[in-house]
Amino acid sequence: MSHFCMNLQYYIMFEVLEESWTEFEGKMKNASDLDTLIEAHETYLNNIVEKALLGERSQALIRQLNLVFDLIMRFQGFSGRIQEILKEASSKRRLRTLRAEVESAQGNWGLNGDDDEGGDAEGEDVDCFPERFLYSTRYELDAIKGDYKILVDGFLKLFPTVPHIDLGLLEQKIIFST
């Protein structure tokens, strides 16, 4: 997903903005009057809108791109939830280690059997994740991966519908990174 975003950003930065700016600079230097300069500027802006997939003829592409971005945001949210769970597990483990050190300092070996801090509410060890967590995580990641492949393939299949834009380099980079 990050490759997709980076390659799309590269395309917009260098294939759209920089290339269009270079063309505009050349037309600016050769402009003989204000009308020619205004026309060159309008052409420059129209080229950017079209090449950046923001034009009327690119609406199907932009809708598909929005679906890809929605999925990327879904993955980001999922990743954040996983990170929070890992932080919580790490905190529990640190707390358990500190309690064991306190017990050892008091002459006891580790934690005594009366402590219920060693596991979670279902009695599972803090060093292990519940099987249902691992299964649901794997399931959701597989679902996101499958949806991502479908959405990106759909995005690429729409490229021929915009023959007025050369998306060859973007297509190569996306195909290479998926």
Side-chain angles (χ1 to χ4, degrees), residues 15-82:
E15 300 297 316
V16 175
L17 296 175
E18 189 172 311
E19 187 177 300
S20 296
W21 179 255
T22 302
E23 285 179 26
F24 177 58
E25 275 186 321
K27 289 179 181 179
M28 254 190 335
K29 288 177 185 172
N30 295 330
S32 57
D33 58 18
L34 184 59
D35 289 335
T36 308
L37 182 60
I38 291 171
E39 183 180 325
H41 187 256
E42 285 179 14
T43 302
Y44 166 69
L45 294 176
N46 289 336
N47 281 342
I48 288 174
V49 167
E50 285 299 320
K51 290 180 180 179
L53 310 176
L54 299 172
E56 288 297 318
R57 298 184 286 180
S58 303
Q59 290 305 300
L61 264 175
I62 205 70
R63 280 191 298 275
Q64 188 70 20
L65 188 57
N66 281 331
L67 292 173
V68 173
F69 287 148
D70 288 344
L71 181 68
I72 290 170
M73 294 306 295
R74 180 176 139 205
F75 176 73
Q76 188 273 334
F78 174 73
S79 174
R81 288 191 309 274
I82 296 292

Side-chain angles (χ1 to χ4, degrees), residues 99-110:
R99 291 181 58 102
E101 289 173 1
V102 168
E103 290 290 325
S104 294
Q106 293 174 351
N108 301 324
W109 183 255

